[in-house]
Amino acid sequence: MTAALLWLALILAVTGGLWGLARRPPRVTVTRDVPGSGFEGGQLPLTVTVTVQSRRPLRVTLSDPTPRGVVPGHELTAAALHVGQTTHTFTTTLRLNRRGHFEWPGLDLAWADPLGLFWRQTTLPATTAVTVYPGTHGLLLPDLLRPLLSEGTLSRQLGLDDPLSLRSAREYVTGDAPGRIHWRLSARRGELVVREPERTAASSLTVFVDASAGGSTFVDSAARLAASLLREGQTLGLPVAAAAGGEVTPAGRGTDALHAALHLLACVQPDPDQPRLPATRAGGNLIILTARPSADLTTQALHARATASRVSIVAIPEGFYLEPGEQPRRQWAGLPDAVRDLERRAAVLAESGILVYVLRGNQSVLTLAG
């Protein structure tokens, strides 16, 4: 009986000692080295350095889970029997699966006595944020972007058409927009005659995403298209800005202005509030991306035309557009009434300097203006 009590006392003492060893956590410092931003579909290098200090022998398990939007190349976990000071370095790449602003608060730490009987866990503070910009691709949009920037004397190829300023009239040529036909002069001459408007140079490019009528699929598509337009505009030397959800970024030619615009597009989400177009710089170009253009939005576009060189409304009613290399999709539903009404008014709006484009399921944004 005495021997049993002694063994029991010994076991309790060892157990108590092990429990005491596991009471206090080891000292752990964590640093993450990762670029603050990247583009959707790309990769970023990630280095996580963890230093563990403990005078007591402990079993330590480390895990660094990332948000779902960014996926590491391999799992960032480690487990070892630790004593003294050791440093672990994890090197991998982050796959940027979807746009957004992602934060992961810290690293999960679990520790126990050397036998692994008493486990405790906590989350270490090590906040890191990564902004994933919308994916972009090359665009073939001569009517929307390439004529925007003109240096020196304006010509028939450079600059934006200004329908309110008539230069001359000429004979109709196959391919001319019906909205350019000068009906009175055509009736007088007995043949179709089209207006030849003056050209004006754009001073900036602003892309507005109307997130009030479309769901997440449309917003993702619109964000990618807007990001592509802005990058093309910056390549042409235009001050660029983005607007969505009541916010507008400062217009500028530098990388800071582009990054601010891309950050806004990365964070834009469906918003039920009515859209409000931003104030456009004099001579600027405003491109509106919308799923269902409301009458109020069209009215705002007309008001914006008072200062803008051109206003373009791009409707994406199906909530998607074809990416480079994708095959055309079948359309199972007709256009929304708002889009049909916009198409009926396209010629009238063109007379006021507002261009209308409707992307259907079998059209690619690459040939939007072709």
Side-chain angles (χ1 to χ4, degrees), residues 276-302:
R276 288 292 177 266
L277 294 182
T280 307
R281 293 176 58 180
N285 186 39
L286 174 63
I287 299 178
I288 302 169
L289 308 180
T290 180
R292 292 180 178 85
S294 63
D296 180 64
L297 182 64
T298 305
T299 301
Q300 293 184 55
L302 288 169

Side-chain angles (χ1 to χ4, degrees), residues 234 252 272 275:
Q234 190 201 40

Side-chain angles (χ1 to χ4, degrees), residues 36-107:
S37 60
F39 285 92
E40 183 181 22
Q43 294 184 345
L44 292 177
L46 171 65
T47 301
V48 181
T49 303
V50 182
T51 301
V52 183
Q53 296 178 344
S54 176
R55 296 181 180 179
R56 298 161 290 124
L58 293 174
R59 289 189 177 274
V60 179
T61 299
L62 301 170
S63 177
D64 191 15
T66 60
R68 293 183 179 181
V70 292
V71 180
H74 59 80
E75 191 176 4
L76 303 179
T77 59
L81 180 62
H82 170 82
V83 64
Q85 176 174 327
T86 57
T87 299
H88 301 270
T89 300
F90 306 92
T91 301
T92 185
T93 57
L94 283 180
R95 297 195 306 273
L96 310 180
N97 288 346
R98 67 173 188 268
R99 67 177 182 88
H101 182 73
F102 302 100
E103 295 184 359
W104 59 100
L107 181 142

Side-chain angles (χ1 to χ4, degrees), residues 323-334:
E323 304 284 355
E326 284 191 313
Q327 296 298 319
R329 304 179 178 92
R330 295 178 63 88
Q331 280 188 254
W332 300 101

Side-chain angles (χ1 to χ4, degrees), residues 20 57 74 87 107 109 117 165 182 184 197 220 225 229 239 263 300 329 354:
H74 59 80
T87 299
L107 181 142
L109 169 67
L117 298 179
S165 178
H182 196 309
R184 290 185 180 179
D220 289 340
L225 177 53
L229 291 168
H263 185 274
Q300 293 184 55
R329 304 179 178 92
I354 298 178

Side-chain angles (χ1 to χ4, degrees), residues 143-155:
D143 288 348
L144 286 179
L145 277 179
R146 293 188 179 180
L148 300 187
L149 187 63
S150 60
E151 300 292 345
T153 305
L154 296 170
S155 67

Side-chain angles (χ1 to χ4, degrees), residues 343-367:
E343 283 192 317
R344 285 192 292 266
R345 300 174 59 190
V348 177
L349 292 173
E351 293 291 330
S352 301
I354 298 178
L355 301 183
V356 173
Y357 299 92
V358 178
L359 285 180
R360 291 174 168 83
N362 62 346
Q363 291 176 328
S364 172
V365 70
L366 293 176
T367 56

